[in-house]
Amino acid sequence: MSGYLTTHVLDTARGCPAEGLKIDLYKIIGETRTLLKSVVTNDDGRTDAQILPEGEFEIGTYELVFHAGDYLDRIGTPPETPRFLDLIPLRFGMSEAQHYHVPLLLSPFSYSTYRGS
């Protein structure tokens, strides 16, 4: 079995998927952070394809950066300067060739994540 990476973003303040939220995927090697791709969530708060598909999967350290501030601005969340949550970086390791699911539960003043299935 080969590994792959997926995510799902839920807007817990509104009780719905976070549609149209940009996510950047980085590979981390030592102090070097390399952008692999940028994706946007669909109407279900997921990406249309695996963020890191089986053919591109490598064991290692990665970072997902969720562009929460842009999303909150777009949906009309009252602005603050600076916004409490803007970019949300989640750095994590993938140590086995299996499915890694890294969801984000988002509200204007908090977020949480976990290793899903």
Side-chain angles (χ1 to χ4, degrees):
M1 177 173 117
S2 258
Y4 60 98
L5 173 65
T6 59
T7 191
H8 189 197
V9 186
L10 296 172
D11 183 329
T12 58
R14 297 187 326 149
C16 64
E19 179 181 1
L21 191 144
K22 180 182 175 188
I23 305 166
D24 297 325
L25 173 65
Y26 292 88
K27 174 87 186 242
I28 311 297
I29 300 175
E31 297 299 316
T32 303
R33 184 175 177 246
T34 304
L35 178 65
L36 298 180
K37 67 176 65 172
S38 295
V39 295
V40 176
T41 57
N42 60 24
D43 62 353
D44 193 36
R46 301 175 188 274
T47 57
D48 289 331
Q50 298 165 352
I51 296 175
L52 192 61
E54 292 183 27
E56 299 171 24
F57 181 89
E58 293 179 0
I59 289 172
T61 302
Y62 292 84
E63 186 174 84
L64 289 171
V65 178
F66 296 85
H67 291 251
D70 291 343
Y71 167 78
L72 294 168
D73 289 344
R74 192 173 43 72
I75 65 166
T77 303
E80 342 162 72
T81 305
R83 189 171 279 290
F84 181 70
L85 291 177
D86 185 18
L87 298 176
I88 300 173
L90 298 179
R91 189 169 288 192
F92 56 94
M94 297 192 291
S95 60
E96 300 177 74
Q98 55 184 250
H99 178 198
Y100 284 81
H101 184 66
V102 182
L104 183 74
L105 305 177
L106 173 66
S107 76
F109 299 104
S110 70
Y111 66 91
S112 64
T113 190
Y114 55 93
R115 180 172 174 193
S117 58

